Amino acid sequence: MTNKNLFVAFLILFLLACSEDGEQNETTGASDATTTSTNNSTSIDTPSVGGNDISILAEKFYYNNAVSVVVNDDNLVISTKDLPDHKSAYYNTNNPLYESYNEPNNPSFKLNPNNILEQDIVMTIPRFPKIDISHEATPMGPMGIAVNSVAIFNQMAAPGDDILEELNTFDQYEGHPAPGGVYHYHIEPVWLTQTLGEDAFIGLLLDGFPVYGPVENSLRLTNEDLDDYHGHIHDTPEFTEGIYHYHITDELPWINGDGFYGTPGNITR
Ligand SMILES: [Zn+2]
Ligand SMILES: [Zn+2]
């Protein structure tokens, strides 16, 4: 090999090395899991295919006269009266939290015929949530619970109703009561994202995986950022080693997609 050829060979090697660096950076930027691993070298092996202890979230349920959490060896038992701590046009008019609908941005608003009534709902949720490849469909009725005691429902309206029409019955904090008085959120609970932060932990689904607000690292997420179940795996402030978690987005299906990521616990009401 002549000196010139040797030089060209080195040059090619050098360029190859550079381009590999470039690809690696791109991957780091594109993948949350990889970002996690560069921030925290122990994280990549522990994402939530099982093993995260969610008992640290018990204290986040703050509305103590309406929701309580008991931490057991294998589960969290969350009991709720399902009474929002914010004002609503669906409280009885003699309730201090009653407020008539006052959002000028939805002239199509119409009250549904239900009122908010105290519930007795108990959710038994896995303490160490695990992926379940059957991805069971979420139920009608509560599929999870927000930190202020309010039930979280999926993206389906009651049989015969259209969820996009039901949007017009959501109160000033984007919730409404079902027949029987069960108050619930299908979309972003704006009271919680306004008071706790748009990137905050908002609640749990029945499978034990946490739900976060629509913002992450100052970016508002879209459905394209998430998998079919409406989540992804990486570190969060509460789980620095990484966990599967759902995110709320502005678009249908809002909170959950095609079923639970993990094995759901059970619910009595
Ligand atoms: Zn509803
Ligand atoms: Zn996330």
Side-chain angles (χ1 to χ4, degrees):
M1 195 181 268
T2 65
N3 279 351
K4 191 182 170 195
N5 284 347
L6 200 61
F7 173 74
V8 170
F10 271 120
L11 188 67
I12 288 169
L13 277 174
F14 176 71
L15 289 174
L16 276 174
C18 287
S19 73
E20 268 173 28
D21 266 4
E23 265 173 35
Q24 212 160 24
N25 287 341
E26 229 174 83
T27 312
T28 308
S31 157
D32 284 335
T34 315
T35 307
T36 303
S37 74
T38 52
N39 292 342
N40 179 341
S41 58
T42 62
S43 63
I44 196 71
D45 296 329
T46 52
S48 52
V49 284
N52 296 98
D53 180 357
I54 62 159
S55 64
I56 57 162
L57 299 174
E59 64 177 25
K60 303 275 185 181
F61 290 80
Y62 66 84
Y63 193 30
N64 293 327
N65 60 350
V67 60
S68 68
V69 183
V70 173
V71 176
N72 295 320
D73 286 349
D74 296 324
N75 54 50
L76 271 57
V77 178
I78 305 182
S79 305
T80 183
K81 296 178 183 172
D82 192 5
L83 296 171
D85 59 333
H86 54 71
K87 294 189 171 177
S88 173
Y90 288 104
Y91 270 120
N92 279 317
T93 49
N94 59 1
N95 188 304
L97 288 172
Y98 170 79
E99 182 182 67
S100 62
Y101 187 78
N102 56 4
E103 289 292 308
N105 57 5
N106 186 6
S108 305
F109 174 78
K110 59 177 193 302
L111 273 179
N112 77 20
N114 309 311
N115 272 326
I116 298 171
L117 296 176
E118 182 174 315
Q119 304 294 312
D120 180 11
I121 300 171
V122 180
M123 298 185 189
T124 304
I125 291 178
R127 177 171 169 180
F128 302 94
K130 291 181 177 60
I131 186 174
D132 182 341
I133 57 165
S134 71
H135 298 295
E136 191 173 305
T138 55
M140 297 303 286
M143 66 164 179
I145 180 164
V147 292
N148 65 340
S149 89
V150 171
I152 297 173
F153 277 29
N154 68 17
Q155 71 275 30
M156 314 286 279
D161 288 350
D162 178 344
I163 192 69
L164 296 176
E165 283 174 22
E166 282 195 4
L167 290 176
N168 290 324
T169 70
F170 294 174
D171 66 18
Q172 48 271 57
Y173 292 107
E174 305 295 1
H176 70 170
V182 186
Y183 188 79
H184 58 275
Y185 304 123
H186 294 269
I187 69 171
E188 178 183 346
V190 295
W191 170 256
L192 296 177
T193 51
Q194 283 166 13
T195 56
L196 302 175
E198 292 187 300
D199 55 358
F201 166 70
I202 296 299
L204 285 169
L205 294 197
L206 274 173
D207 62 0
F209 288 111
V211 180
Y212 285 82
V215 170
E216 191 159 69
N217 299 324
S218 307
L219 289 175
R220 201 165 183 93
L221 301 178
T222 69
N223 293 349
E224 283 66 49
D225 298 311
L226 305 170
D227 67 15
D228 290 346
Y229 315 100
H230 227 241
H232 58 190
I233 296 173
H234 61 79
D235 60 321
T236 71
E238 290 78 17
F239 299 95
T240 55
E241 297 197 341
I243 188 170
Y244 184 87
H245 55 281
Y246 301 102
H247 277 284
I248 302 164
T249 64
D250 295 334
E251 320 145 272
L252 248 175
W254 301 298
I255 299 177
N256 178 266
D258 298 340
F260 290 111
Y261 184 76
T263 309
N266 59 61
I267 182 163
T268 61
R269 44 191 293 221

